[in-house]
Amino acid sequence: MQHPLSIYNTLHRRKEAFVPTQAPHVGLYVCGPTVYGDAHLGHARPAITFDILFRYLSHLGYKVRYVRNITDVGHLEHDADEGEDKIAKKARLEQLEPMEVVQYYLIRYHHAMGRLGVLPPSIEPMASGHIIEQIALTQQILDAGFAYESNGSVYFDVEKYDKSFNYGELSGRRIEDMLSNTRTLDGQDEKRGPLDFALWKKAQPEHIMRWPSPWGEGFPGWHAECTAMGRKYLGEQFDIHGGGMDLIFPHHECEIAQAKASQDGEPMVRYWMHNNMITINGQKMGKSLGNFITLDQFFTGEHDQLEQAYSPMTIRFFILSAHYRGTVDFSNEALKAAEKGLARLLDAAALLDGLQAGSTTSIEGIQGLSERCHAALNDDLNTPIAIAELFEAARAINSIHHKQATITAEDLDELRRVYRLFLFDLLGLRDERLGEGGASEAFSGAVDLLLSIRAEAKGKKDWATSDRIRDELSALGFTIKDTKEGTEWSL
């Protein structure tokens, strides 16, 4: 392949060349949301990160099966084995059926992701629809001797597993350290060891969501869900498993243990990828901490920490402006800078069709743009470097537009293709200022018509009409510039 892709594998703590198990097919699994509240900025980051991976792998010619699950049962408070189900608690407080809560927030999640330009996955399985697979997984682990039943619940025996394999290989934790730092909590006496985690939990009388199983009525453990669904749709070994860094331990660590315990020690995943957190005042943004800003609040500006509304594409560009493994700290200043930077790139894209070739030599920085942008994304999806290359190209586009530089016809065709490929197709950005689809053409046509009427008014020295059109367009947010070549506008 012309452009070899390397990605950072959390399992080995290094960048590795990406070689699919069954090329050209690629299996990609990403942990999706637990739908009991509106999506916030922290949810946008993994969705956008793995959307870029999905788009880029497809661009490289791979046939990607992208599975992103929805957790609608079994995710208990504090990510623990005790406490109330997060969705059931929301349903109880709002006097709704749990699946009413799921349906309401799932629709809103999809709407927010669509506005952010996140492509839908190939398959979006729900945990409640895969109870049979989770029971089968639990039974396999029992049969292998790495789990035990206790009072109608089934727990994974971490210490026994660690003697055969390595519990902690993903997170770098040692079981001795974990045991010395773990205190026995009330209600955990049915576990043999404090590190053991639930594969299946017995439902207490007040628990709404429950299913029959060989061990009595209950519900699946949170960790078992992703292992069962990933294996069902991608096979016993697949290429990439992704999610936020906050899932490395315990969620993904437990997934590795469950897979190996049920597959004679064979790992399920070859590459583990994790995006870093969004922070607010240096602290992780999350529902459990109560310091989150929902995506809808960003879009409307209705939050006391927001100085203005920020469009979905501004949010997407803000997230892509940092490497996915680096932290991103929310601030109004950073979002405003993202807004201006995105406008510069989109303004340059709008000028592309009007550029004229007029030289046998091209402006510096245009040739090799495709190779440099590919090299950036091949280097562990380095979107900030790709964006920097597009800024350089935008500077060249503006120079050509203002007749300060020239370009050959061949290079102009390549510039148009590559600039749009990376800005729109691979980074997934779009110009929201002009609407979508045919609306943008009609919008541009209407503004051009107004400016042509203004030009006629100026020709007749009807300064009142000319000034009125300019002033009212300016009041609506347009920038009007009169140049030697004619009038230019931008929003």
Side-chain angles (χ1 to χ4, degrees):
M1 185 171 290
Q2 185 181 1
H3 301 289
L5 170 65
S6 70
I7 55 180
Y8 185 87
N9 190 347
T10 308
L11 187 63
H12 301 138
R13 296 166 187 76
R14 64 173 182 260
K15 290 181 194 175
E16 296 176 350
F18 176 65
V19 181
T21 308
Q22 295 180 316
H25 299 279
V26 171
L28 167 63
Y29 187 97
V30 174
C31 289
T34 302
V35 281
Y36 67 102
D38 276 332
H40 58 69
L41 192 62
H43 293 112
R45 195 169 195 195
I48 291 170
T49 295
F50 293 102
D51 181 61
I52 297 294
L53 180 62
F54 183 29
R55 288 170 183 265
Y56 194 58
L57 287 169
S58 300
H59 166 69
L60 293 178
Y62 294 117
K63 296 178 180 178
V64 187
R65 179 177 289 172
Y66 176 16
V67 181
R68 186 186 67 205
N69 74 292
I70 298 295
T71 298
D72 60 349
V73 65
H75 195 170
L76 306 187
E77 294 178 289
H78 314 300
D79 300 345
D81 283 338
E82 301 299 327
E84 200 168 0
D85 185 293
K86 293 183 179 185
I87 288 166
K89 181 179 180 179
K90 184 82 170 182
R92 176 174 59 77
L93 293 173
E94 299 195 5
Q95 296 185 307
L96 297 169
E97 277 287 329
M99 288 304 149
E100 282 183 279
V101 173
V102 169
Q103 186 72 4
Y104 177 78
Y105 287 112
L106 182 56
I107 289 170
R108 292 174 66 82
Y109 175 77
H110 285 154
H111 181 65
M113 292 303 111
R115 293 190 69 185
L116 288 171
V118 173
L119 299 174
S122 316
I123 303 173
E124 192 174 55
M126 299 177 76
S128 64
H130 296 78
I131 301 297
I132 292 170
E133 288 82 1
Q134 291 164 76
I135 290 173
L137 172 67
T138 301
Q139 189 62 59
Q140 285 177 326
I141 297 171
L142 275 168
D143 293 344
F146 292 110
Y148 56 92
E149 185 183 352
S150 178
N151 298 328
S153 295
V154 180
Y155 291 99
F156 191 96
D157 192 330
V158 170
E159 289 186 68
K160 185 174 181 182
Y161 169 84
D162 188 62
K163 289 174 183 174
S164 299
F165 308 105
N166 176 18
Y167 184 77
E169 60 182 301
L170 184 67
S171 60
R173 303 186 184 205
R174 296 173 65 248
I175 194 165
E176 296 82 4
D177 298 334
M178 287 187 273
L179 285 169
S180 65
N181 293 324
T182 304
R183 60 189 179 93
T184 303
L185 301 174
D186 293 338
Q188 289 193 332
D189 55 340
E190 65 182 27
K191 294 184 183 182
R192 291 180 187 169
L195 299 180
D196 297 352
F197 57 89
L199 298 169
W200 185 264
K201 280 289 289 180
K202 178 183 179 180
Q204 299 304 316
E206 69 275 8
H207 203 94
I208 308 172
M209 292 189 278
R210 55 174 66 214
W211 289 265
S213 80
W215 317 285
E217 286 208 339
F219 55 92
W222 174 40
H223 310 308
E225 297 173 359
C226 288
T227 303
M229 290 187 286
R231 199 161 68 174
K232 177 178 176 66
Y233 294 109
L234 299 174
E236 290 191 351
Q237 187 175 75
F238 57 87
D239 298 301
I240 303 170
H241 193 318
M245 280 186 180
D246 56 333
L247 297 178
I248 293 174
F249 189 89
H251 188 50
H252 290 164
E253 195 73 76
C254 293
E255 277 200 64
I256 288 175
Q258 290 165 156
K260 282 190 170 183
S262 61
Q263 296 179 178
D264 296 323
E266 288 297 316
M268 182 175 69
V269 177
R270 298 181 64 228
Y271 301 86
W272 287 89
M273 293 181 69
H274 294 93
N275 63 274
N276 212 322
M277 301 296 98
I278 299 276
T279 57
I280 180 164
N281 299 321
Q283 187 181 37
K284 175 197 162 186
M285 182 181 286
K287 285 182 194 153
S288 59
L289 298 169
N291 65 348
F292 62 93
I293 305 173
T294 70
L295 292 172
D296 276 353
Q297 287 170 329
F298 275 102
F299 302 157
T300 62
E302 294 173 0
H303 190 280
D304 58 9
Q305 295 205 51
L306 298 175
E307 294 176 7
Q308 64 176 67
Y310 299 99
S311 74
M313 286 299 107
T314 298
I315 298 296
R316 185 178 178 100
F317 188 71
F318 168 66
I319 288 172
L320 293 178
S321 295
H323 190 271
Y324 76 89
R325 287 192 288 113
T327 54
V328 172
D329 196 51
F330 155 79
S331 73
N332 283 280
E333 291 72 26
L335 281 162
K336 288 174 185 175
E339 188 174 58
K340 288 180 182 176
L342 176 60
R344 280 174 55 202
L345 294 180
L346 293 172
D347 286 345
L351 294 175
L352 277 170
D353 282 335
L355 295 185
Q356 299 291 322
S359 174
T360 55
T361 58
S362 275
I363 184 173
E364 189 178 346
I366 293 298
Q367 291 181 328
L369 178 64
S370 175
E371 287 73 15
R372 294 193 301 274
C373 287
H374 276 101
L377 294 189
N378 284 331
D379 184 15
D380 194 30
L381 301 183
N382 201 325
T383 54
I385 298 297
I387 288 170
E389 293 292 349
L390 292 178
F391 274 122
E392 286 298 316
R395 188 177 288 112
I397 289 168
N398 284 309
S399 296
I400 296 163
H401 172 71
H402 292 298
K403 306 289 192 290
Q404 296 164 347
T406 58
I407 189 170
T408 67
E410 184 180 359
D411 284 350
L412 179 56
D413 288 342
E414 180 72 354
L415 174 61
R416 287 171 176 155
R417 183 188 69 81
V418 174
Y419 194 85
R420 288 170 174 152
L421 167 69
F422 279 88
L423 186 64
F424 299 130
D425 296 347
L426 297 182
L427 295 182
L429 297 160
R430 63 174 182 268
D431 197 338
E432 299 161 302
R433 304 170 301 182
L434 305 181
E436 295 187 32
S440 60
E441 195 173 330
F443 182 92
S444 299
V447 177
D448 290 339
L449 176 61
L450 275 173
L451 292 178
S452 68
I453 294 170
R454 177 173 175 263
E456 287 177 15
K458 286 175 71 177
K460 296 173 183 176
K461 299 189 178 181
D462 180 1
W463 308 119
T465 301
S466 168
D467 290 349
R468 183 186 171 196
I469 291 172
R470 180 199 63 207
D471 294 344
E472 294 200 13
L473 282 174
S474 296
L476 290 169
F478 289 87
T479 300
I480 309 298
K481 286 183 182 177
D482 292 313
T483 69
K484 291 178 183 177
E485 287 77 29
T487 303
E488 297 175 359
W489 63 271
S490 61
L491 188 60

